[in-house]
Amino acid sequence: MNSGREPGRTAVRRVPLAVLAVVVAGSLFGCGGDHTADAAADTRWAAGITPAWMSGHMGLDVPAAARSVRAAYKVTSRFDTGLLTFTLSRAEAEAYLRKHPPSGRWLTPTAAQPDTPRSDFTHLGLPEPETFEEGVRYGFVCPGTEPYDTSDGNCTRLYAHAYAPDRTRIYLRAHFEPGVGPLPTAS
């Protein structure tokens, strides 16, 4: 499969947003059974995930000026989740956001969602970006598509949180079909 990416780079199929919505809705409204226990049993954090590896799979760069760069990859039986986060100065963050505009427009939350399950960025020692109400904006960034198109699911959720007067943390979360491979091996 050639998607216009660099030669030798593994092609990754992301889970279409509509499929992801059905999976999430099915898990919320359930069909009986203990889905929470089943999901926990099928979940693991992959070892050896580097920011460079995760950046390559998301198709989004990490600026050289980035600090506190972290990445993780959660493997489940339904869909995998890739995480990438880093901090930039406010000016560097604005330049990054201009380089990676959202599909549509940047959104701001109307209220924090403090009951957001602690499952993704908490693994990296950070609060979930959905728990912020002030200083945050978010949107879907769809690398490699012009104009940006969310219909194929090749989009990454980007949160930009201005947490200090001159610092912004970028949170990136993408969902992939299970079995993306090969995962890096732990060193």
Side-chain angles (χ1 to χ4, degrees):
M1 177 168 122
N2 184 357
S3 62
R5 297 192 189 272
E6 300 170 22
R9 193 162 142 200
T10 304
V12 176
R13 287 192 55 209
R14 297 205 185 151
V15 178
L17 296 175
V19 171
L20 185 58
V22 170
V23 169
V24 170
S27 67
L28 290 175
F29 301 112
C31 300
D34 187 354
H35 293 291
T36 304
D38 292 345
D42 291 344
T43 301
R44 71 176 175 85
W45 288 98
I49 301 300
T50 65
W53 185 88
M54 197 68 260
S55 171
H57 275 70
M58 287 181 172
L60 294 165
D61 63 313
V62 175
R67 301 289 177 257
S68 187
V69 183
R70 303 176 199 169
Y73 194 83
K74 184 169 53 174
V75 178
T76 72
S77 60
R78 292 191 177 117
F79 60 88
D80 295 351
T81 301
L83 305 175
L84 183 61
T85 182
F86 49 88
T87 65
L88 297 167
S89 72
R90 188 71 53 89
E92 293 162 343
E94 290 305 317
Y96 186 82
L97 298 176
R98 279 191 303 276
K99 182 178 174 185
H100 302 292
S103 173
R105 59 185 178 89
W106 290 114
L107 304 170
T108 55
T110 56
Q113 299 172 20
D115 58 341
T116 299
R118 302 195 181 286
S119 63
D120 289 343
F121 289 97
T122 304
H123 176 74
L124 297 173
L126 297 167
E128 300 299 325
E130 293 88 351
T131 63
F132 302 122
E133 181 176 354
E134 294 184 20
V136 68
R137 58 189 148 161
Y138 64 94
F140 284 99
V141 176
C142 311
T145 60
E146 289 289 337
Y148 293 112
D149 175 12
T150 60
S151 66
D152 67 357
N154 288 328
C155 296
T156 296
R157 185 79 172 238
L158 184 151
Y159 294 85
H161 181 231
Y163 67 93
D166 191 42
R167 297 301 293 174
T168 298
R169 176 169 290 282
I170 303 295
Y171 292 84
L172 301 166
R173 178 189 292 131
H175 296 291
F176 303 91
E177 289 184 20
V180 166
L183 293 173
T185 56
S187 303

